[in-house]
Amino acid sequence: MPIQRWTLHLLRLLFPPQVLLPDIVAIDIGLTVAVIVIGVYLTRTRRWGWLWHEWITTVDHKKIGIMYLIAALIMLFRGGVDALMIRSQLIAPNAHFMGAQQYDEVFTTHGTVMIFFMAMPMVFALFNATVPLMIGARDVAFPRLNAISFWLFAFGAILLNMSFSIGGSPSAGWMSYPPYSELLYNPGVGENYFLLSLQVAGIGTIATGINFLVTILRMRAPGMSLSKIPVFVWSALITSSLVLFAFPPLTVALGLTMLDRVFGASFFTIAHQGMPMMYVNLFWIFGHPEVYILVMPAFGVFSEVVPTFSRKPLFGYEAMVGSLLAISFLGYGTWVHHFFEMGAGPSVNVFFGLSTMLIAIPTGVKMFNWIFTMWGGRIRLTVPMLWQLAFIPTFVVGGATGIMLAAVPGDYQYHNSYFLIAHFHNVILGGTVFGMLSGMYYWWPKMFGWKLNQRQGTWAFALFVSGFWLTFMPQYFLGFEGMTRRMATYPAGLGWTTLNLWSTVGAFVMGAGFLVMVYNILWSRRYRDWDVTGDPWDGRTLEWSLPSPAPEYNFARIPMVQSRDEWWAMKQEGRTDEVKISATTVHPIHMPRNSAMPIMLAFAFFVGAIGLIFAWFWMAILGGLGVIAALAYGSFADYSEVEIDAKHVLQTEAQLGRVES
Amino acid sequence: MDHEHPRRPQAPTGHGDEVELALLQPKMHATQFPSLQITGYILALVLTLLAFGMVAYHWVPVPSLIPIILVLAFIQGALQMGIFMHLREGRGTTWHLPVLALALFVGLGIVGFSIWIMMFKSGVS
Ligand code: HEM
Ligand SMILES: [Cu+2]
């Protein structure tokens, strides 16, 4: 019976033993129930149309920002659960909460989700939510491309996240080094999921980079020269250019690995004279700039948060911008520090060790500038400011241990030990995540129109930060004691037991902090504390001159910028009426129209990716044709704009009390 | 406080709309059939397939392979830049040149460094 055999084969492919573990099946059931419940709810309340028109087809940067944020928080949850599973396994010696294969899958998913599907979208959430508002623009330069980026990211995330229930998760770590990512040693579709999901999301990321580069270079309000844009916008500009240069090497590395796995090529295989180390080289040409892509926006957030809550202009604007530029430049010449042990020789290693250490200088400059900004200021300990204050010591420790790792002989000891794990969690959690959370609390009122409760936010902060220190400080010592990363379990009697126990306790405290934060959000949504002023923090930059949330066209009247902290200057000089319009100055506003093309395009990519993952080439071709069809539709039939007429603008602004009599 | 008080910037007409609209508005009204772009596209595909064929099916002896592929890559790059990246258009050369120089610098840097890094002979690869 060929049909029967075929079905059986398909079932084995889709549901290999590793996806039939009881916990995974339980999660599958839970997810199915959740999807059904949401579907029923949407149908009952007749919300499908709303979902489609207001969100799915939107090209409004503010809504796209909100969708990125929600996705990032969900992914933070997913990655966090993975982290707790890892830490539960390591709570005691010889624990077998998970088998080795599942453990590998969990840490791989944890790293991949956290870097690509939590941190990146969190960064893009804040870019989208604020950059156009800060530079006095009505949207990004390419609004529809922006939606395409989001949906490509979303479908990439779906791809990676479905791997654990259909086909099996990747298990070669978030860097997926060969030879372990080779087909020979890692059969099944898990690795393909990794390659294709990052590829799909990566296209969107590159597009976002281009979009924000163009937006910031070309769409600033009149008078806002580059020397007047807020430092957060500078960080967005530099991050975008880093994306532009860093992601193509990743695309190449992933693409060639895919050719190896799916089409039998041997770029990185051990057999047939492939060069596995070339993958490592390509990966880190991307990977090191990537860590700066993640942390620069956090630097940007703090450069907004600190002046606002110290009531002082940023200390050393030029130095701040200069150090961002220096970091991005130097950050390109350091990638070998991730594989000193490859054996490229003393000259290569010394060169890259030194270039790595140099980065500490501009980073230090920034630290001092934030401190000098606070110096003598009137500091308000709001939640965004608390995250900033926690960031400073955390990041200093992370940077200092980075220097230790950059010392080549030392790195031969620390490499791939828990010392390394502690280092990069110190900088990524303590830098990127603290920064993004600070930014989230800071701009939340602007994004949603209501504030997050301060007391609960403080609790979430306190739990999270103390959990953080408790988790990662012991890991430095575990590294010194010789515990290597990615051990599925460990024997007793090596002096690791107590340290691991503390680390696990800390992780659960952090988890509790996250839960309080979710509670904080839900509670604040239930008992909304509306921000009617548009300027709840007494802010300095242009986004605070707008109502919260900003109307769809952002600025009824594009401001004419005269100084760096323009809104602050307006308030000081009594010019706040400049943001108002009157019946004579109001103009109709052209805005881009919603479009279904972005989600169609992303879906076609999704279908094509599944085809490649399972080597169903008919499906890959179908997806490819779908991509072409969506692009053709987008080019010939789709693009148009709407005109918001002057009367409507006037009405909206009048309701907001922004019309001059 | 920011103590500088520069003169009011000269805005095009006051409300600043046209600055943005000029960019939001795609140039959708093609004046002629894009035969150049289509030729360029086909050429790009041909160049790619040629390079692929030479490696996969051993069309040329190994020693001459690398120079030939480099030449093909150069033509490919020029094609992309000239036809699809609007490099031939005079508009905005002041923006083009520094960015191109930067891209060249980073690109050459990556390639050069990679060659240097991968030159080691310790038998790992
Ligand atoms: C002063 C600044 C920094 C220095 C000197 C530094 C140095 C290093 C070195 C030498 C390594 C490789 C260690 C090894 O593999 O043995 C490393 C790993 C790493 N660093 Fe940093 N680093 C710095 C800042 C950062 C920042 C800001 C981030 C991210 C926001 C970051 C994220 C990472 C990650 C993710 C890894 C390891 C990835 C992995 O192997 O899985 N680092 N760092
Ligand atoms: Cu690095």
Side-chain angles (χ1 to χ4, degrees), chain A residues 16-51:
Chain A
Q18 83 233 48
V19 310
L20 296 177
L21 298 171
D23 51 342
I24 292 183
V25 174
I27 295 172
D28 290 345
I29 295 171
L31 281 178
T32 317
V33 171
V35 167
I36 293 173
V37 168
I38 292 174
V40 168
Y41 173 77
L42 288 174
T43 315
R44 277 273 190 79
T45 54
R46 300 173 179 279
R47 292 255 171 98
W48 285 107
W50 164 82
L51 196 64

mmCIF file of all heavy atoms in Angstrom, chain A residues 16-51:
data_model
loop_
_atom_site.group_PDB
_atom_site.id
_atom_site.type_symbol
_atom_site.label_atom_id
_atom_site.label_comp_id
_atom_site.label_asym_id
_atom_site.label_seq_id
_atom_site.Cartn_x
_atom_site.Cartn_y
_atom_site.Cartn_z
ATOM 1 N N PRO A 16 8.856 12.972 14.877
ATOM 2 C CA PRO A 16 9.882 12.034 15.338
ATOM 3 C C PRO A 16 9.800 11.910 16.852
ATOM 4 O O PRO A 16 9.137 12.723 17.501
ATOM 5 C CB PRO A 16 11.186 12.719 14.910
ATOM 6 C CG PRO A 16 10.850 14.157 14.842
ATOM 7 C CD PRO A 16 9.421 14.244 14.438
ATOM 8 N N PRO A 17 10.462 10.888 17.404
ATOM 9 C CA PRO A 17 10.316 10.639 18.850
ATOM 10 C C PRO A 17 10.588 11.869 19.704
ATOM 11 O O PRO A 17 9.923 12.068 20.721
ATOM 12 C CB PRO A 17 11.370 9.568 19.124
ATOM 13 C CG PRO A 17 11.720 8.983 17.806
ATOM 14 C CD PRO A 17 11.321 9.924 16.739
ATOM 15 N N GLN A 18 11.534 12.723 19.276
ATOM 16 C CA GLN A 18 11.875 13.813 20.200
ATOM 17 C C GLN A 18 10.759 14.840 20.357
ATOM 18 O O GLN A 18 10.807 15.642 21.275
ATOM 19 C CB GLN A 18 13.194 14.483 19.793
ATOM 20 C CG GLN A 18 13.103 15.531 18.737
ATOM 21 C CD GLN A 18 14.069 15.234 17.584
ATOM 22 O OE1 GLN A 18 14.134 14.128 17.077
ATOM 23 N NE2 GLN A 18 14.833 16.230 17.172
ATOM 24 N N VAL A 19 9.764 14.849 19.463
ATOM 25 C CA VAL A 19 8.659 15.782 19.694
ATOM 26 C C VAL A 19 7.498 15.093 20.389
ATOM 27 O O VAL A 19 6.447 15.695 20.598
ATOM 28 C CB VAL A 19 8.150 16.447 18.391
ATOM 29 C CG1 VAL A 19 9.293 17.028 17.603
ATOM 30 C CG2 VAL A 19 7.330 15.498 17.551
ATOM 31 N N LEU A 20 7.665 13.817 20.736
ATOM 32 C CA LEU A 20 6.561 13.121 21.392
ATOM 33 C C LEU A 20 6.784 12.956 22.887
ATOM 34 O O LEU A 20 6.109 12.176 23.534
ATOM 35 C CB LEU A 20 6.351 11.755 20.728
ATOM 36 C CG LEU A 20 5.929 11.872 19.253
ATOM 37 C CD1 LEU A 20 5.809 10.505 18.613
ATOM 38 C CD2 LEU A 20 4.620 12.630 19.124
ATOM 39 N N LEU A 21 7.750 13.709 23.434
ATOM 40 C CA LEU A 21 7.943 13.659 24.882
ATOM 41 C C LEU A 21 6.689 14.186 25.565
ATOM 42 O O LEU A 21 6.023 15.078 25.032
ATOM 43 C CB LEU A 21 9.141 14.531 25.269
ATOM 44 C CG LEU A 21 10.486 14.090 24.682
ATOM 45 C CD1 LEU A 21 11.543 15.145 24.964
ATOM 46 C CD2 LEU A 21 10.894 12.769 25.299
ATOM 47 N N PRO A 22 6.380 13.642 26.734
ATOM 48 C CA PRO A 22 5.123 14.031 27.378
ATOM 49 C C PRO A 22 5.001 15.533 27.602
ATOM 50 O O PRO A 22 3.930 16.112 27.361
ATOM 51 C CB PRO A 22 5.147 13.273 28.712
ATOM 52 C CG PRO A 22 6.453 12.557 28.773
ATOM 53 C CD PRO A 22 7.072 12.565 27.434
ATOM 54 N N ASP A 23 6.087 16.208 28.013
ATOM 55 C CA ASP A 23 5.931 17.648 28.281
ATOM 56 C C ASP A 23 5.626 18.403 26.993
ATOM 57 O O ASP A 23 4.827 19.335 26.976
ATOM 58 C CB ASP A 23 7.180 18.210 28.983
ATOM 59 C CG ASP A 23 8.465 17.852 28.270
ATOM 60 O OD1 ASP A 23 8.441 16.915 27.448
ATOM 61 O OD2 ASP A 23 9.492 18.496 28.519
ATOM 62 N N ILE A 24 6.244 17.965 25.900
ATOM 63 C CA ILE A 24 5.996 18.669 24.643
ATOM 64 C C ILE A 24 4.567 18.451 24.185
ATOM 65 O O ILE A 24 3.883 19.386 23.747
ATOM 66 C CB ILE A 24 7.011 18.208 23.573
ATOM 67 C CG1 ILE A 24 8.402 18.694 23.980
ATOM 68 C CG2 ILE A 24 6.624 18.732 22.203
ATOM 69 C CD1 ILE A 24 9.464 18.387 22.995
ATOM 70 N N VAL A 25 4.090 17.211 24.329
ATOM 71 C CA VAL A 25 2.711 16.954 23.928
ATOM 72 C C VAL A 25 1.760 17.799 24.770
ATOM 73 O O VAL A 25 0.798 18.382 24.246
ATOM 74 C CB VAL A 25 2.393 15.450 24.062
ATOM 75 C CG1 VAL A 25 0.914 15.204 23.797
ATOM 76 C CG2 VAL A 25 3.240 14.653 23.085
ATOM 77 N N ALA A 26 2.060 17.904 26.055
ATOM 78 C CA ALA A 26 1.201 18.726 26.911
ATOM 79 C C ALA A 26 1.180 20.168 26.420
ATOM 80 O O ALA A 26 0.114 20.801 26.331
ATOM 81 C CB ALA A 26 1.692 18.667 28.354
ATOM 82 N N ILE A 27 2.358 20.677 26.055
ATOM 83 C CA ILE A 27 2.397 22.061 25.561
ATOM 84 C C ILE A 27 1.620 22.178 24.259
ATOM 85 O O ILE A 27 0.885 23.137 24.033
ATOM 86 C CB ILE A 27 3.862 22.509 25.377
ATOM 87 C CG1 ILE A 27 4.570 22.547 26.728
ATOM 88 C CG2 ILE A 27 3.920 23.876 24.720
ATOM 89 C CD1 ILE A 27 6.051 22.781 26.619
ATOM 90 N N ASP A 28 1.770 21.170 23.388
ATOM 91 C CA ASP A 28 1.021 21.188 22.127
ATOM 92 C C ASP A 28 -0.470 21.330 22.393
ATOM 93 O O ASP A 28 -1.160 22.136 21.780
ATOM 94 C CB ASP A 28 1.250 19.886 21.346
ATOM 95 C CG ASP A 28 2.663 19.808 20.793
ATOM 96 O OD1 ASP A 28 3.343 20.854 20.778
ATOM 97 O OD2 ASP A 28 3.079 18.713 20.393
ATOM 98 N N ILE A 29 -0.938 20.508 23.335
ATOM 99 C CA ILE A 29 -2.368 20.550 23.630
ATOM 100 C C ILE A 29 -2.749 21.929 24.160
ATOM 101 O O ILE A 29 -3.720 22.544 23.715
ATOM 102 C CB ILE A 29 -2.746 19.442 24.640
ATOM 103 C CG1 ILE A 29 -2.499 18.072 23.984
ATOM 104 C CG2 ILE A 29 -4.193 19.573 25.084
ATOM 105 C CD1 ILE A 29 -2.636 16.904 24.937
ATOM 106 N N GLY A 30 -1.928 22.428 25.076
ATOM 107 C CA GLY A 30 -2.206 23.752 25.629
ATOM 108 C C GLY A 30 -2.272 24.808 24.543
ATOM 109 O O GLY A 30 -3.192 25.636 24.506
ATOM 110 N N LEU A 31 -1.318 24.762 23.616
ATOM 111 C CA LEU A 31 -1.292 25.772 22.553
ATOM 112 C C LEU A 31 -2.522 25.653 21.664
ATOM 113 O O LEU A 31 -3.137 26.655 21.294
ATOM 114 C CB LEU A 31 -0.031 25.601 21.698
ATOM 115 C CG LEU A 31 1.260 26.162 22.297
ATOM 116 C CD1 LEU A 31 2.423 25.877 21.376
ATOM 117 C CD2 LEU A 31 1.127 27.658 22.535
ATOM 118 N N THR A 32 -2.894 24.408 21.339
ATOM 119 C CA THR A 32 -4.066 24.217 20.490
ATOM 120 C C THR A 32 -5.293 24.803 21.173
ATOM 121 O O THR A 32 -6.077 25.540 20.551
ATOM 122 C CB THR A 32 -4.285 22.712 20.229
ATOM 123 O OG1 THR A 32 -3.022 22.128 19.953
ATOM 124 C CG2 THR A 32 -5.214 22.503 19.061
ATOM 125 N N VAL A 33 -5.434 24.487 22.447
ATOM 126 C CA VAL A 33 -6.587 25.021 23.177
ATOM 127 C C VAL A 33 -6.559 26.551 23.150
ATOM 128 O O VAL A 33 -7.566 27.211 22.858
ATOM 129 C CB VAL A 33 -6.597 24.502 24.632
ATOM 130 C CG1 VAL A 33 -7.664 25.223 25.441
ATOM 131 C CG2 VAL A 33 -6.815 23.011 24.652
ATOM 132 N N ALA A 34 -5.369 27.115 23.387
ATOM 133 C CA ALA A 34 -5.267 28.575 23.414
ATOM 134 C C ALA A 34 -5.684 29.169 22.076
ATOM 135 O O ALA A 34 -6.447 30.145 22.019
ATOM 136 C CB ALA A 34 -3.845 28.995 23.760
ATOM 137 N N VAL A 35 -5.215 28.550 20.985
ATOM 138 C CA VAL A 35 -5.557 29.083 19.662
ATOM 139 C C VAL A 35 -7.065 29.023 19.444
ATOM 140 O O VAL A 35 -7.684 29.982 18.964
ATOM 141 C CB VAL A 35 -4.806 28.304 18.554
ATOM 142 C CG1 VAL A 35 -5.383 28.634 17.187
ATOM 143 C CG2 VAL A 35 -3.336 28.636 18.607
ATOM 144 N N ILE A 36 -7.670 27.885 19.846
ATOM 145 C CA ILE A 36 -9.115 27.760 19.660
ATOM 146 C C ILE A 36 -9.841 28.819 20.486
ATOM 147 O O ILE A 36 -10.745 29.510 19.993
ATOM 148 C CB ILE A 36 -9.584 26.336 20.053
ATOM 149 C CG1 ILE A 36 -8.999 25.335 19.040
ATOM 150 C CG2 ILE A 36 -11.100 26.258 20.071
ATOM 151 C CD1 ILE A 36 -9.241 23.895 19.395
ATOM 152 N N VAL A 37 -9.415 28.977 21.732
ATOM 153 C CA VAL A 37 -10.087 29.951 22.595
ATOM 154 C C VAL A 37 -9.985 31.353 21.990
ATOM 155 O O VAL A 37 -10.977 32.090 21.891
ATOM 156 C CB VAL A 37 -9.471 29.933 24.015
ATOM 157 C CG1 VAL A 37 -9.940 31.130 24.820
ATOM 158 C CG2 VAL A 37 -9.839 28.646 24.727
ATOM 159 N N ILE A 38 -8.790 31.705 21.512
ATOM 160 C CA ILE A 38 -8.628 33.042 20.933
ATOM 161 C C ILE A 38 -9.505 33.186 19.693
ATOM 162 O O ILE A 38 -10.179 34.200 19.497
ATOM 163 C CB ILE A 38 -7.146 33.299 20.600
ATOM 164 C CG1 ILE A 38 -6.332 33.397 21.894
ATOM 165 C CG2 ILE A 38 -6.986 34.577 19.794
ATOM 166 C CD1 ILE A 38 -4.856 33.508 21.687
ATOM 167 N N GLY A 39 -9.522 32.131 18.875
ATOM 168 C CA GLY A 39 -10.347 32.173 17.664
ATOM 169 C C GLY A 39 -11.813 32.373 17.999
ATOM 170 O O GLY A 39 -12.497 33.220 17.411
ATOM 171 N N VAL A 40 -12.281 31.598 18.973
ATOM 172 C CA VAL A 40 -13.692 31.716 19.355
ATOM 173 C C VAL A 40 -13.972 33.111 19.897
ATOM 174 O O VAL A 40 -14.960 33.767 19.528
ATOM 175 C CB VAL A 40 -14.051 30.641 20.407
ATOM 176 C CG1 VAL A 40 -15.408 30.931 21.017
ATOM 177 C CG2 VAL A 40 -14.029 29.266 19.778
ATOM 178 N N TYR A 41 -13.057 33.601 20.713
ATOM 179 C CA TYR A 41 -13.243 34.932 21.293
ATOM 180 C C TYR A 41 -13.342 35.985 20.199
ATOM 181 O O TYR A 41 -14.236 36.841 20.206
ATOM 182 C CB TYR A 41 -12.067 35.242 22.228
ATOM 183 C CG TYR A 41 -12.065 36.652 22.758
ATOM 184 C CD1 TYR A 41 -12.933 37.029 23.785
ATOM 185 C CD2 TYR A 41 -11.221 37.613 22.218
ATOM 186 C CE1 TYR A 41 -12.944 38.320 24.271
ATOM 187 C CE2 TYR A 41 -11.217 38.907 22.695
ATOM 188 C CZ TYR A 41 -12.090 39.260 23.712
ATOM 189 O OH TYR A 41 -12.094 40.549 24.180
ATOM 190 N N LEU A 42 -12.435 35.890 19.224
ATOM 191 C CA LEU A 42 -12.443 36.884 18.149
ATOM 192 C C LEU A 42 -13.730 36.807 17.338
ATOM 193 O O LEU A 42 -14.285 37.821 16.925
ATOM 194 C CB LEU A 42 -11.236 36.683 17.227
ATOM 195 C CG LEU A 42 -9.881 37.088 17.823
ATOM 196 C CD1 LEU A 42 -8.758 36.704 16.881
ATOM 197 C CD2 LEU A 42 -9.843 38.577 18.096
ATOM 198 N N THR A 43 -14.214 35.571 17.128
ATOM 199 C CA THR A 43 -15.440 35.428 16.357
ATOM 200 C C THR A 43 -16.634 35.948 17.153
ATOM 201 O O THR A 43 -17.467 36.698 16.637
ATOM 202 C CB THR A 43 -15.654 33.944 16.007
ATOM 203 O OG1 THR A 43 -14.415 33.413 15.559
ATOM 204 C CG2 THR A 43 -16.698 33.788 14.928
ATOM 205 N N ARG A 44 -16.706 35.545 18.413
ATOM 206 C CA ARG A 44 -17.809 35.968 19.262
ATOM 207 C C ARG A 44 -17.904 37.493 19.329
ATOM 208 O O ARG A 44 -18.979 38.070 19.239
ATOM 209 C CB ARG A 44 -17.597 35.431 20.680
ATOM 210 C CG ARG A 44 -18.037 34.030 20.872
ATOM 211 C CD ARG A 44 -19.530 33.989 21.229
ATOM 212 N NE ARG A 44 -19.909 32.655 21.653
ATOM 213 C CZ ARG A 44 -19.663 32.165 22.864
ATOM 214 N NH1 ARG A 44 -19.058 32.912 23.754
ATOM 215 N NH2 ARG A 44 -20.034 30.959 23.178
ATOM 216 N N THR A 45 -16.764 38.127 19.526
ATOM 217 C CA THR A 45 -16.793 39.582 19.687
ATOM 218 C C THR A 45 -16.663 40.292 18.343
ATOM 219 O O THR A 45 -16.486 41.503 18.301
ATOM 220 C CB THR A 45 -15.656 40.041 20.614
ATOM 221 O OG1 THR A 45 -14.427 39.520 20.101
ATOM 222 C CG2 THR A 45 -15.846 39.542 22.027
ATOM 223 N N ARG A 46 -16.705 39.519 17.266
ATOM 224 C CA ARG A 46 -16.613 40.081 15.908
ATOM 225 C C ARG A 46 -15.394 40.978 15.767
ATOM 226 O O ARG A 46 -15.485 42.138 15.381
ATOM 227 C CB ARG A 46 -17.874 40.893 15.589
ATOM 228 C CG ARG A 46 -19.125 40.083 15.637
ATOM 229 C CD ARG A 46 -20.349 40.978 15.493
ATOM 230 N NE ARG A 46 -21.551 40.161 15.510
ATOM 231 C CZ ARG A 46 -21.997 39.518 14.443
ATOM 232 N NH1 ARG A 46 -21.378 39.616 13.301
ATOM 233 N NH2 ARG A 46 -23.102 38.787 14.533
ATOM 234 N N ARG A 47 -14.267 40.426 16.110
ATOM 235 C CA ARG A 47 -13.062 41.250 16.071
ATOM 236 C C ARG A 47 -12.166 40.948 14.878
ATOM 237 O O ARG A 47 -11.118 41.547 14.728
ATOM 238 C CB ARG A 47 -12.242 41.013 17.346
ATOM 239 C CG ARG A 47 -12.887 41.533 18.592
ATOM 240 C CD ARG A 47 -12.213 42.810 19.053
ATOM 241 N NE ARG A 47 -12.947 43.443 20.125
ATOM 242 C CZ ARG A 47 -12.645 43.302 21.413
ATOM 243 N NH1 ARG A 47 -11.641 42.568 21.763
ATOM 244 N NH2 ARG A 47 -13.350 43.913 22.331
ATOM 245 N N TRP A 48 -12.529 39.972 14.023
ATOM 246 C CA TRP A 48 -11.609 39.611 12.939
ATOM 247 C C TRP A 48 -11.352 40.800 12.033
ATOM 248 O O TRP A 48 -10.214 41.061 11.648
ATOM 249 C CB TRP A 48 -12.168 38.440 12.124
ATOM 250 C CG TRP A 48 -12.053 37.138 12.838
ATOM 251 C CD1 TRP A 48 -13.071 36.433 13.403
ATOM 252 C CD2 TRP A 48 -10.855 36.389 13.084
ATOM 253 N NE1 TRP A 48 -12.580 35.284 13.994
ATOM 254 C CE2 TRP A 48 -11.222 35.227 13.810
ATOM 255 C CE3 TRP A 48 -9.513 36.582 12.777
ATOM 256 C CZ2 TRP A 48 -10.310 34.273 14.224
ATOM 257 C CZ3 TRP A 48 -8.591 35.628 13.177
ATOM 258 C CH2 TRP A 48 -8.987 34.488 13.894
ATOM 259 N N GLY A 49 -12.443 41.498 11.693
ATOM 260 C CA GLY A 49 -12.294 42.648 10.801
ATOM 261 C C GLY A 49 -11.406 43.710 11.417
ATOM 262 O O GLY A 49 -10.506 44.251 10.775
ATOM 263 N N TRP A 50 -11.635 43.933 12.700
ATOM 264 C CA TRP A 50 -10.810 44.903 13.424
ATOM 265 C C TRP A 50 -9.347 44.484 13.383
ATOM 266 O O TRP A 50 -8.467 45.270 13.064
ATOM 267 C CB TRP A 50 -11.332 44.975 14.859
ATOM 268 C CG TRP A 50 -10.409 45.616 15.853
ATOM 269 C CD1 TRP A 50 -10.250 46.955 16.061
ATOM 270 C CD2 TRP A 50 -9.544 44.958 16.778
ATOM 271 N NE1 TRP A 50 -9.328 47.161 17.049
ATOM 272 C CE2 TRP A 50 -8.875 45.956 17.506
ATOM 273 C CE3 TRP A 50 -9.272 43.611 17.057
ATOM 274 C CZ2 TRP A 50 -7.950 45.643 18.500
ATOM 275 C CZ3 TRP A 50 -8.355 43.314 18.042
ATOM 276 C CH2 TRP A 50 -7.704 44.324 18.759
ATOM 277 N N LEU A 51 -9.119 43.193 13.646
ATOM 278 C CA LEU A 51 -7.747 42.701 13.649
ATOM 279 C C LEU A 51 -7.105 42.915 12.281
ATOM 280 O O LEU A 51 -5.961 43.358 12.168
ATOM 281 C CB LEU A 51 -7.762 41.214 13.994
ATOM 282 C CG LEU A 51 -6.440 40.597 14.405
ATOM 283 C CD1 LEU A 51 -5.959 41.211 15.693
ATOM 284 C CD2 LEU A 51 -6.586 39.087 14.582
#
